[in-house]
C-alpha cells in the first residue's frame, strides 16, 4: 500500500501559483514546496508541471533544480518526474556507477509492462536503448547477466510447473556445487522464467537442500557478477524484504547512504511503502520514520517523512 496522502480535489493552477510564489523573494519557501509536492500523486504532479509551464512559460523541474540544493533537491527532482522517466534517470546513473542494483531492481521487481515502459522512457530521454548502455558499461559475466535481465519480457501470470521447478532447482544446485554460477543455464533461468515459476524453483531448492539458495550458495562474494546475481534472486524472491535490507544497510552505513534511502522511499511511496514500513519495524524493532529522521536533517528529512506518511 502507498503512504502518501493526497487530496482528490485539487487545482493544478492554484498549486502552480503557490509554487511560483514560493520561489519569489529572498530565498525559497521550502515548506510550501514540501507541503504541495509531498501530498500529490504522480498524475497530479504532472498536471502541476503542465499548469506551471502554461502559466509562466518555464519548466518547473528546471526551476526546482535551481531553487533547491543537496539531497533535498535530488529527492524532489526524482519525485516530480513521471515514474517511468524517474526510473530511466536512476538506471542511467546506475549504469555509470559501480553499483548496478537499480538495473537489477527494475528488471526483477517491476512487471513486464513496467520494465518495457522504463525502457521506452530511457530510449526517449537518452536516444539509446537501455540494453545498449548496459552492455557498453559492463563486461564479462556481469554484462551477460544484466543484458539478459533488461532484455527479457517475462510471463506475468501465476501459473507454475512443479516438474520444471524441480529440474531447474537441481540445475542451480549443480552450478553452485561446481562453482559455475556464471553458467549460461543459470543466467537463462533467472532472466527468462516468470517470477512465480522462479519462486517455485527457489522454494523447491530450499525444501530439497535445507537452506535458501542465497544463504547456501552465493556466500559473501563481492565481485560485480555475484553481487548482481544475489540481488536478482532477492528481488525476485521477496521484494519487500529486499527493500528493507537496502534501507537498513543505507541507514547503518557511516554517514548514511542518502541515494539509497531516497531511491527506495521515492520509488515505493505510491506502491508498497506502507508494507515495507511494517516489515522494517518487525525486523528492526524501530519505526522506519524514526530511523530516517535520526540519519537525515533539514528540508530533506521533512520531505522524506511526508512521503513516509508522517504529516507535519
Amino acid at each position: 500500500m502507498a503512504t502518501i496522502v493526497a487530496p482528490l480535489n485539487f487545482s493544478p493552477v492554484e498549486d502552480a501559483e503557490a509554487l511560483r510564489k514560493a520561489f519569489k523573494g529572498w530565498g525559497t519557501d521550502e515548506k510550501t514546496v514540501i507541503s504541495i509536492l509531498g501530498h500529490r500523486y504522480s498524475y497530479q504532479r504532472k498536471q502541476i508541471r503542465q499548469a506551471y509551464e502554461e502559466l509562466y512559460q518555464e519548466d518547473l523541474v528546471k526551476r526546482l533544480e535551481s531553487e533547491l540544493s543537496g539531497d533535498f533537491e535530488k529527492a524532489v527532482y526524482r519525485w516530480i518526474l513521471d515514474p517511468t522517466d524517474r526510473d530511466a534517470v536512476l538506471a542511467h546513473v546506475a549504469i555509470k556507477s559501480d553499483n548496478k542494483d537499480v538495473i537489477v531492481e527494475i528488471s526483477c521487481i517491476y512487471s513486464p509492462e513496467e520494465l518495457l515502459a522504463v525502457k521506452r522512457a530511457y530510449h526517449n530521454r537518452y536516444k539509446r536503448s537501455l540494453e545498449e548502455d548496459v552492455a557498453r558499461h559492463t563486461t564479462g559475466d556481469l554484462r551477460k547477466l544484466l543484458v539478459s535481465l533488461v532484455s527479457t519480457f517475462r510471463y506475468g501470470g501465476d501459473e507454475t510447473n512443479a516438474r520444471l521447478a524441480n529440474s531447474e532447482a537441481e540445475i542451480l544446485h549443480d552450478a553452485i556445487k561446481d562453482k559455475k554460477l556464471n553458467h549460461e543455464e543459470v543466467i537463462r533461468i533467472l532472466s527468462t522464467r516468470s517470477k512465480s515459476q522462479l519462486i517455485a524453483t527457489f522454494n523447491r531448492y530450499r525444501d530439497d537442500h535445507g537452506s535458501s539458495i542465497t544463504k547456501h550458495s552465493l556466500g559473501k562474494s563481492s565481485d560485480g557478477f555475484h553481487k548482481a546475481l544475489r540481488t536478482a534472486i532477492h528481488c525476485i524472491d521477496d521484494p519487500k524484504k529486499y527493500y528493507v535490507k537496502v534501507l537498513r544497510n543505507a541507514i547503518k552505513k557511516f554517514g548514511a547512504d542518502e541515494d539509497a534511502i531516497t531511491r527506495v522511499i521515492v520509488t515505493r511511496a505510491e506502491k508498497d511503502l506502507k508494507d515495507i514500513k511494517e516489515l522494517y519495524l518487525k525486523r528492526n524493532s524501530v519505526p522506519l520514520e524514526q530511523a530516517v529522521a535520526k540519519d537525515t536533517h533539514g528540508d530533506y528529512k521533512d520531505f522524506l517523512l511526508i512521503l513516509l506518511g508522517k504529516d507535519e
Side-chain angles (χ1 to χ4, degrees), residues 169-170 173-174 203-212 216:
E170 285 309 302
H173 180 257
D174 289 344
N203 288 340
R204 185 56 188 255
Y205 185 103
R206 186 181 296 111
D207 292 343
D208 288 350
H209 302 290
S211 180
S212 70
H216 187 241

Side-chain angles (χ1 to χ4, degrees), residues 249-284:
N249 290 342
I251 291 168
K252 285 173 61 179
K253 189 175 180 180
F254 180 74
D257 181 353
E258 285 82 2
D259 279 350
I261 295 170
T262 299
R263 182 177 87 246
V264 176
I265 293 176
V266 165
T267 60
R268 309 313 296 183
E270 294 181 87
K271 295 182 177 181
D272 54 4
L273 189 54
K274 186 174 182 181
D275 303 320
I276 293 168
K277 282 171 54 179
E278 291 173 356
L279 184 58
Y280 188 96
L281 175 61
K282 182 178 179 181
R283 296 180 71 87
N284 298 282

Side-chain angles (χ1 to χ4, degrees), residues 45-273:
R45 301 192 299 274
K46 184 174 183 178
Q47 291 177 19
I48 294 169
R49 294 199 311 271
Q50 292 169 341
Y52 190 93
E53 184 157 6
E54 289 172 5
L55 285 169
Y56 307 111
Q57 291 75 55
E58 183 181 41
D59 186 334
L60 177 58
V61 176
K62 291 182 179 177
R63 183 60 187 262
L64 285 165
E65 284 185 285
S66 69
E67 293 285 339
L68 310 178
S69 62
D71 294 318
F72 178 47
E73 180 272 322
K74 190 179 294 185
V76 172
Y77 171 76
R78 290 175 177 176
W79 177 246
I80 200 170
L81 293 176
D82 286 336
T84 53
D85 204 28
R86 172 179 64 223
D87 289 328
V89 171
L90 289 170
H92 187 67
V93 172
I95 284 170
K96 295 186 175 182
S97 75
D98 293 331
N99 189 338
K100 302 295 190 290
D101 286 352
V102 172
I103 308 300
V104 180
E105 290 169 14
I106 292 170
S107 303
C108 296
I109 294 177
Y110 288 20
S111 71
E113 291 77 15
E114 288 172 332
L115 172 58
L116 188 59
V118 173
K119 288 163 67 174
R120 286 198 183 104
Y122 192 97
H123 191 277
N124 290 336
R125 178 175 273 263
Y126 300 109
K127 312 308 177 189
R128 297 183 300 276
S129 72
L130 179 59
E131 295 91 332
E132 179 185 359
D133 276 359
V134 167
R136 180 185 174 194
H137 290 279
T138 53
T139 58
D141 294 328
L142 180 61
R143 173 191 284 173
K144 291 178 187 176
L145 175 63
L146 294 183
V147 171
S148 294
L149 289 175
V150 298
S151 301
T152 193
F153 190 82
R154 302 177 193 272
Y155 171 64
D158 295 328
E159 293 85 354
T160 60
N161 183 317
R163 185 176 298 176
L164 185 63
N166 181 53
S167 65
E168 293 193 336
E170 285 309 302
I171 290 173
L172 293 174
H173 180 257
D174 289 344
I176 291 162
K177 182 178 65 175
D178 297 336
K179 300 188 186 310
K180 293 182 178 179
L181 285 166
N182 59 346
H183 194 284
E184 63 182 21
E185 282 294 275
V186 175
I187 294 175
R188 176 190 65 80
I189 291 168
L190 291 178
S191 64
T192 64
R193 297 301 184 199
S194 73
K195 295 176 189 176
S196 296
Q197 184 63 44
L198 285 168
I199 289 171
T201 299
F202 298 158
N203 288 340
R204 185 56 188 255
Y205 185 103
R206 186 181 296 111
D207 292 343
D208 288 350
H209 302 290
S211 180
S212 70
I213 186 171
T214 48
K215 290 182 179 177
H216 187 241
S217 64
L218 303 180
K220 298 296 182 181
S221 179
S222 59
D223 68 88
F225 170 73
H226 286 89
K227 185 175 184 295
L229 193 71
R230 191 161 54 237
T231 299
I233 293 172
H234 282 306
C235 286
I236 293 166
D237 191 41
D238 194 333
K240 295 182 182 69
K241 185 177 176 181
Y242 166 77
Y243 281 126
V244 166
K245 185 176 181 180
V246 171
L247 287 167
R248 185 177 67 244
N249 290 342
I251 291 168
K252 285 173 61 179
K253 189 175 180 180
F254 180 74
D257 181 353
E258 285 82 2
D259 279 350
I261 295 170
T262 299
R263 182 177 87 246
V264 176
I265 293 176
V266 165
T267 60
R268 309 313 296 183
E270 294 181 87
K271 295 182 177 181
D272 54 4
L273 189 54

Side-chain angles (χ1 to χ4, degrees), residues 4-13 15-16 19 35-52 60 79-83 270:
I4 71 161
V5 179
L8 295 179
N9 297 317
F10 87 112
S11 167
V13 171
D15 282 351
L19 287 170
S35 179
I36 292 174
L37 297 181
H39 292 101
R40 300 293 184 270
Y41 296 122
S42 60
Y43 77 91
Q44 295 172 325
R45 301 192 299 274
K46 184 174 183 178
Q47 291 177 19
I48 294 169
R49 294 199 311 271
Q50 292 169 341
Y52 190 93
L60 177 58
W79 177 246
I80 200 170
L81 293 176
D82 286 336
E270 294 181 87

Side-chain angles (χ1 to χ4, degrees), residues 269-310:
E270 294 181 87
K271 295 182 177 181
D272 54 4
L273 189 54
K274 186 174 182 181
D275 303 320
I276 293 168
K277 282 171 54 179
E278 291 173 356
L279 184 58
Y280 188 96
L281 175 61
K282 182 178 179 181
R283 296 180 71 87
N284 298 282
S285 303
V286 176
L288 180 57
E289 297 96 319
Q290 182 178 325
V292 168
K294 184 178 179 181
D295 281 305
T296 57
H297 57 85
D299 297 317
Y300 174 58
K301 178 186 76 173
D302 294 342
F303 184 61
L304 292 185
L305 292 179
I306 289 291
L307 298 187
L308 282 164
K310 185 176 177 62

